Amino acid sequence: MYLLYDLLVSLTLLLLAPGYLVLGWLRRKPRQGLAQRLGCFPADHFAALRGRPVIWIHAVSVGETRAAVPLIRHLRQRWPRAALVLSSVTETGHQIAGGIAEVDARLYFPVDSGPVIRRVLDRVQPDLVLIVETELWPQFIRQCHLRRIPLALVNGRISDRSFPRYHAVRRLLRPLLSQIACFCMQSAIDAERIACLGAPAERILTTGNLKFDPAGACLPDQNDAALRAQFGLAPQVRVLVAGSTHEGEEEAVLSAFRQLRQRGHELLLILVPRHPHRCRALADLLDKSGLPWRLRSAEPAEPLGAGAVLLVDSIGEMLHFYALAELVFVGGSLVPVGGHNLLEAALLQKAALHGPHMHNFREIAAWIGQAQGFGLVQDVTDLTAQLDHLLREPERCRRSGTQAWQLLQRHAGASARTLEALQPLLQRRGIDS
């Protein structure tokens, strides 16, 4: 079965590689990490790991990488001798990993082929592997198992969308899940689902959601005036942030923004698309809108004021933008993407709105909505009306942001619970605190 799987992976790689390279050429930016994905690294790439126990954390993209930060920091505190390796699949996840000081080495996750995985494991030589959320790579899990390297799922989640697909192939999943040493799941529902798929019940724990742990956030260390100067924004202008937006949402946000301006709100918009490469298309949209705007990466000639738009083509600065916000709209939710993390806004005590498509964060959205007393908007008309109402009640916005932050504090502690679950696995490898 694994031989057939390797053949399918190799065939897929051969078919997709030309398109992968062409896409990089069309974007005028070479695709990054191809050699690493094939298991090829410079001789000194893992020099920091020599003579130290190694913990390998795999987080597929930006969201998983950010979720892993509190756990990474707790791992560093608990096992300071250990070298921490962080892998990602996406370029944006890899960039975020580069900004985490506790990480000793980062890499692009290798192609899930037996020869490639074996080559990378020979270089990294991990004592423990942690997979964030639910990245089930058959050869990677198998090769770790064959080498008796304990592998654990942390911040485990089985979404509404993924569960039916996994359930359809549960007979294939069961032997794979039996090779995982520990399942640290976000909620009781996630624990039930992984058990239904065949994970051994005695290895399943409900440890909570790492995203609730504020210790993982790189909070802005500058005050409001310094942040405004950094981004070229006028002093004291009220700021609306639309974060992690997707195609089809920017038009709605810009429509709401124009209507708010017509209703007398002196407001500036910071527009943060989920994927920065879309900024070229969004630049055309902003040109057609007639609104004054500037790219985040551009050198500011003069501060942007009310009625203007800052289009963000960078990554890793979301908390800085939220720190300036009076109100936040979290994208991926007016279109059927599944939503994005509301907890970043709560961490900075900001009131946040979102659309109806929050199935990837259903529980968190419900909790935040209950804490704030609002949150859900159905469409652009509803978005405009709620923004208008809340902007006229700034005290309610501040109070709601505080209530969301208090909710976050009540649910914190997933990192500590996860560490307790992992400690026996490390002790078996002879690694003590």
Side-chain angles (χ1 to χ4, degrees):
M1 184 179 72
Y2 283 101
L3 177 60
L4 177 61
Y5 177 80
D6 274 353
L7 290 172
L8 289 173
V9 169
S10 299
L11 179 61
T12 302
L13 185 63
L14 287 172
L15 292 174
L16 294 182
Y20 184 83
L21 296 172
V22 168
L23 183 59
W25 180 79
L26 290 174
R27 290 170 55 193
R28 300 178 185 176
K29 179 182 177 183
R31 304 293 290 190
Q32 301 296 310
L34 184 57
Q36 290 190 15
R37 297 178 202 273
L38 296 175
C40 301
F41 299 90
D44 62 347
H45 191 84
F46 299 111
L49 313 187
R50 291 171 190 156
R52 303 167 66 186
V54 175
I55 301 174
W56 179 349
I57 305 106
H58 174 56
V60 60
S61 190
V62 173
E64 293 82 2
T65 303
R66 287 178 174 154
V69 172
L71 180 61
I72 288 169
R73 291 184 174 164
H74 280 78
L75 286 167
R76 169 62 70 228
Q77 292 169 6
R78 179 74 71 88
W79 291 284
R81 289 193 311 111
L84 303 181
V85 176
L86 181 57
S87 63
S88 310
V89 171
T90 67
E91 294 178 18
T92 49
H94 190 71
Q95 290 174 29
I96 294 292
I100 303 173
E102 292 80 3
V103 171
D104 295 287
R106 60 183 175 135
L107 66 145
Y108 285 98
F109 191 75
V111 171
D112 195 43
S113 163
V116 176
I117 296 295
R118 286 192 291 271
R119 188 181 311 131
V120 177
L121 288 174
D122 286 341
R123 294 294 305 276
V124 178
Q125 296 187 358
D127 292 277
L128 174 66
V129 173
L130 308 178
I131 297 178
V132 182
E133 297 201 4
T134 315
E135 280 282 293
L136 301 177
W137 295 103
Q139 273 289 16
F140 183 66
I141 294 171
R142 175 174 180 258
Q143 293 301 325
C144 287
H145 180 70
L146 291 175
R147 295 177 184 225
R148 303 187 180 221
I149 301 167
L151 184 149
L153 205 66
V154 298
N155 213 42
R157 180 172 71 99
I158 309 290
S159 69
D160 293 351
R161 186 177 179 182
S162 300
F163 183 60
R165 296 201 297 263
Y166 282 139
H167 195 265
V169 294
R170 63 190 182 279
R171 290 186 180 178
L172 295 175
L173 281 177
R174 185 173 288 110
L176 188 67
L177 295 176
S178 71
Q179 298 173 23
I180 296 177
C182 182
F183 300 84
C184 299
M185 308 304 290
Q186 292 184 18
S187 69
I189 292 175
D190 295 307
E192 290 173 9
R193 287 177 174 176
I194 201 76
C196 183
L197 297 177
E202 67 277 7
R203 302 181 197 172
I204 302 171
L205 299 167
T206 302
T207 50
N209 193 331
L210 292 173
K211 293 179 181 178
F212 277 111
D213 281 6
C218 301
L219 294 177
D221 57 1
Q222 298 142 297
N223 60 29
D224 183 89
L227 286 172
R228 288 173 184 268
Q230 178 182 341
F231 300 132
L233 309 182
Q236 300 181 346
V237 65
R238 303 173 83 184
V239 174
L240 168 67
V241 176
S244 298
T245 58
H246 288 254
E247 184 176 357
E249 291 184 311
E250 290 88 6
E251 293 87 346
V253 169
L254 290 174
S255 174
F257 181 63
R258 282 193 296 267
Q259 292 182 61
L260 292 169
R261 292 281 297 139
Q262 291 168 4
R263 298 180 191 186
H265 295 288
E266 294 296 305
L267 197 63
L268 179 144
L269 173 65
I270 299 180
L271 184 60
V272 192
R274 180 68 172 180
H275 304 292
H277 67 80
R278 294 187 54 244
C279 281
R280 186 178 301 176
L282 295 178
D284 294 337
L285 178 65
L286 286 166
D287 284 338
K288 292 174 184 176
S289 75
L291 295 167
W293 67 279
R294 187 180 68 233
L295 278 173
R296 159 71 181 99
S297 60
E299 190 67 30
E302 59 183 34
L304 289 176
V309 180
L310 180 67
L311 177 60
V312 177
D313 56 349
S314 61
I315 63 171
E317 296 183 305
M318 187 72 83
L319 291 178
H320 291 76
F321 299 127
Y322 282 173
L324 293 170
E326 186 150 347
L327 269 171
V328 169
F329 167 74
V330 177
S333 58
L334 280 178
V335 292
V337 169
H340 291 295
N341 188 8
L342 295 166
L343 297 176
E344 291 175 322
L347 182 63
L348 287 158
Q349 303 187 41
K350 304 296 180 177
L353 301 177
H354 59 82
H357 302 286
M358 287 293 292
H359 49 266
N360 287 338
F361 296 87
R362 179 176 289 121
E363 189 174 41
I364 291 173
W367 286 340
I368 293 287
Q370 290 169 8
Q372 291 187 155
F374 59 84
L376 173 63
V377 297
Q378 295 294 339
D379 51 31
V380 63
T381 302
D382 196 13
L383 174 64
T384 305
Q386 288 212 39
L387 287 171
D388 182 34
H389 180 68
L390 292 167
L391 287 167
R392 297 182 192 279
E393 295 191 33
E395 181 55 39
R396 187 185 178 197
C397 283
R398 285 189 288 271
R399 185 172 63 251
S400 297
T402 300
Q403 290 167 341
W405 180 82
Q406 291 170 343
L407 169 80
L408 188 149
Q409 299 300 308
R410 290 195 298 272
H411 287 272
S415 296
R417 290 187 289 271
T418 302
L419 286 192
E420 292 307 310
L422 298 178
Q423 185 157 345
L425 302 180
L426 285 164
Q427 287 176 336
R428 282 181 222 159
R429 303 285 290 190
I431 302 171
D432 297 318
S433 301

